[in-house]
């Protein structure tokens, strides 16, 4: 078939996909799956951590804030590393770091040691998702990009489900050290699989070397500056910023204490509601992936609609007089499940805005958005809880400030990004007509 007949989202030299691509990509996704289990393990152990390390709400939030601070701070360096070194090398380093961090957390006897362990975990975790996104673009055709990214996010949420269902039970069954140390073995398993079977790209589809006169710090500065100048990159960051963090804050740390202490639920019932968030995320992720893959114009309406719906459902239990009814908490958790899939839309704005040699850097910039928002909100909630005598109504209102900021930036950038994307689409069609059969 002549490349002149290719669609705008299928480029000459696109990887073929197929079973081999699925097998290799699945190994990378397995690494991300384990990283998410480790990342979210504190969400089911927050009240236990308070007792183990004798800390208050602000100190507890510091665990997650530090982890996310490291994660967010590593996104651009990791993106640059992926662009220069490839997926396998970066993922290998990431697995080693997050496994050591989880093992260290298991045997930490002091608050300081536990903080260092979570920082190591966050550093390793930061290297996984961008690498998996890059792996998907190297092994699958461009038209599959939105669905592949959503599937990766779905598998990550399955890791969250393991934390909620399995690790929580192990924690209360066999104890802190055995539960966390035992889970660290999963890191060893995926490391072996990756070293044996993972490849950066299919044979015959090696990325062409990119000539550059910039090296070292000059290369880093230019790579970041050029990527940031793309309106699609910045729009992707603010979409990720606005959509991801409410569910992240709820699942990573404050959901369980809110449901138990403010809503009077048992730990078991609260855990079931956290599980509902994860299950909702997995279902909605499949739906959003299909919609965006077929209708790119739906990206912004989906993102903004998710922000608006999340804000409404977050507000209702917060302002409800007394304890909220169960049906409302269930509905809130179902809606929070849309936050993760909506955040993946941010990558669908940045991906077409940047050439292959900048995909890692662009993904890193976008991925910073939600984690900066999550980190800020985690800190704000902890500080407000301590300052108000654990008034969740006041503390949880911090979410609305961050959502308003993110939406204002999305509305500011949307036309500029759409215009640039239309111009690239026209240029791509013109170029494809001149490619020989």
């Amino acid at each position: 078939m002549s490349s002149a007949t290719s669609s705008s989202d299928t480029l000459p030299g696109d990887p073929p996909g197929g079973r081999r691509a699925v097998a290799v990509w699945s190994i990378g996704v397995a690494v991300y799956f384990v990283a998410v289990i480790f990342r979210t393990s504190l969400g089911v152990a927050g009240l236990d951590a308070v007792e183990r390390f004798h800390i208050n709400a602000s100190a507890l939030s510091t665990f997650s804030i530090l982890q996310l601070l490291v994660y967010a701070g590593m996104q651009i360096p990791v993106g640059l590393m992926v662009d220069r070194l490839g997926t396998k090398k970066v993922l290998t380093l990431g697995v080693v770091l997050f496994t050591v961090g989880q093992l260290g957390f298991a045997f930490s006897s002091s608050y300081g040691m536990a903080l260092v362990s979570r920082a190591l975990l966050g550093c390793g975790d930061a290297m996984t998702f961008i690498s998996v996104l890059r792996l998907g673009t190297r092994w699958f055709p461009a038209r599959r990009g939105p669905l592949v990214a959503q599937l990766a996010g779905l598998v990550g949420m399955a890791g969250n489900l393991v934390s909620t269902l399995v690790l929580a039970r192990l924690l209360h069954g066999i104890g802190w050290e055995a539960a966390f140390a035992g889970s660290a073995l999963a890191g060893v398993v995926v490391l072996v699989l990756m070293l044996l079977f993972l490849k950066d790209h299919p044979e015959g589809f090696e990325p062409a070397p990119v000539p550059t006169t910039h090296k070292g710090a000059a290369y880093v500065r230019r790579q970041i500056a050029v990527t940031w100048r793309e309106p699609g990159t910045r729009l992707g960051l603010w979409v990720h910023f606005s959509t991801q963090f409410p569910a992240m804050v709820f699942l990573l740390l404050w959901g369980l204490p809110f449901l138990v202490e403010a809503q009077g639920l048992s730990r078991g019932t609260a855990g079931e509601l956290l599980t509902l968030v994860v299950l909702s995320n997995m279902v909605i992720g499949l739906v959003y992936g299909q919609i965006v893959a077929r209708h790119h114009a739906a990206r912004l309406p989906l993102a903004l609609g998710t922000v608006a719906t999340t804000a409404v459902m977050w507000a209702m239990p917060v302002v409800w007089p007394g304890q909220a009814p169960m049906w409302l908490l269930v509905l809130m958790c179902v809606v929070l499940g849309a936050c993760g899939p909506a955040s993946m839309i941010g990558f669908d704005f940045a991906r077409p805005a940047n050439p292959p040699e900048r995909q890692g850097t662009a993904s890193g910039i976008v991925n910073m958005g939600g984690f900066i928002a999550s980190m800020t909100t985690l800190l704000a909630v902890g500080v407000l809880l301590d300052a108000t005598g654990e008034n969740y109504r006041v503390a949880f209102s911090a979410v609305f400030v961050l959502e308003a900021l993110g939406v204002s930036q999305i509305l500011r950038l949307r036309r500029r990004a759409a215009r640039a994307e239309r111009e690239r689409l026209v240029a791509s069609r013109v170029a494809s007509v001149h490619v020989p059969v």
Side-chain angles (χ1 to χ4, degrees), residues 355-373:
E357 64 270 17
R358 294 207 308 265
Q359 288 295 317
T361 306
S363 296
I365 291 173
V366 171
N367 211 27
M368 284 179 61
F371 288 93
I372 289 174

Side-chain angles (χ1 to χ4, degrees), residues 143-205:
R143 67 182 182 276
R144 300 293 186 192
L147 183 58
V148 169
Q150 287 286 359
L151 288 173
L154 184 151
V155 173
M157 290 308 297
N160 201 326
L161 193 62
V162 170
S163 288
T164 305
L165 294 179
V166 179
L167 190 58
R169 286 186 172 87
L170 288 175
L171 187 64
H172 299 116
I174 62 177
W176 179 284
E177 293 182 357
F180 280 102
S183 67
L185 293 176
V188 177
V189 172
V190 294
L191 177 62
V192 172
L193 288 174
M194 187 180 60
L195 292 175
L196 290 177
F197 301 112
L198 189 73
K199 291 189 176 182
D200 283 354
H201 46 72
E203 293 180 9
F205 289 86

Side-chain angles (χ1 to χ4, degrees), residues 76 220-238 350 353-354 358 361-362 364-369 372 409 412-413 416:
I76 292 178
V220 171
R221 287 194 298 270
R222 183 181 183 279
Q223 186 84 341
I224 295 173
V226 173
T227 306
W228 179 255
R229 279 201 295 269
E230 289 289 347
T233 304
R234 284 174 281 149
L235 179 60
L237 178 145
W238 286 108
N354 292 276
R358 294 207 308 265
T361 306
I365 291 173
V366 171
N367 211 27
M368 284 179 61
I372 289 174
Q409 295 302 309
R412 183 178 68 85
L413 290 165
R416 203 178 312 171

Side-chain angles (χ1 to χ4, degrees), residues 232-252:
T233 304
R234 284 174 281 149
L235 179 60
L237 178 145
W238 286 108
V239 167
H240 200 269
F241 178 101
S242 306
T243 52
Q244 186 204 45
F245 77 99
M248 179 71 73
V249 167
F250 199 78
L251 289 171
L252 197 60

Side-chain angles (χ1 to χ4, degrees), residues 32-54:
Y32 177 56
F33 173 77
V34 174
V36 173
I37 294 175
F38 292 0
R39 178 201 304 170
T40 57
S41 58
L42 185 61
V44 297
L47 297 178
D48 300 88
V50 169
E51 296 176 3
R52 181 177 177 88
F53 301 114
H54 309 291

Side-chain angles (χ1 to χ4, degrees), residues 241 245 376-377 380 384 396-408:
F241 178 101
F245 77 99
T376 303
T377 309
L384 288 171
F396 271 32
S397 297
V399 166
F400 305 124
V401 178
L402 275 294
E403 285 186 326
L405 172 62
V407 169
S408 69

Side-chain angles (χ1 to χ4, degrees), residues 7 9-11 14-16 140-148 293-294 296:
S7 67
D9 57 0
T10 304
L11 303 175
D14 248 1
F140 293 96
R143 67 182 182 276
R144 300 293 186 192
L147 183 58
V148 169
R294 297 177 183 179
H296 271 203

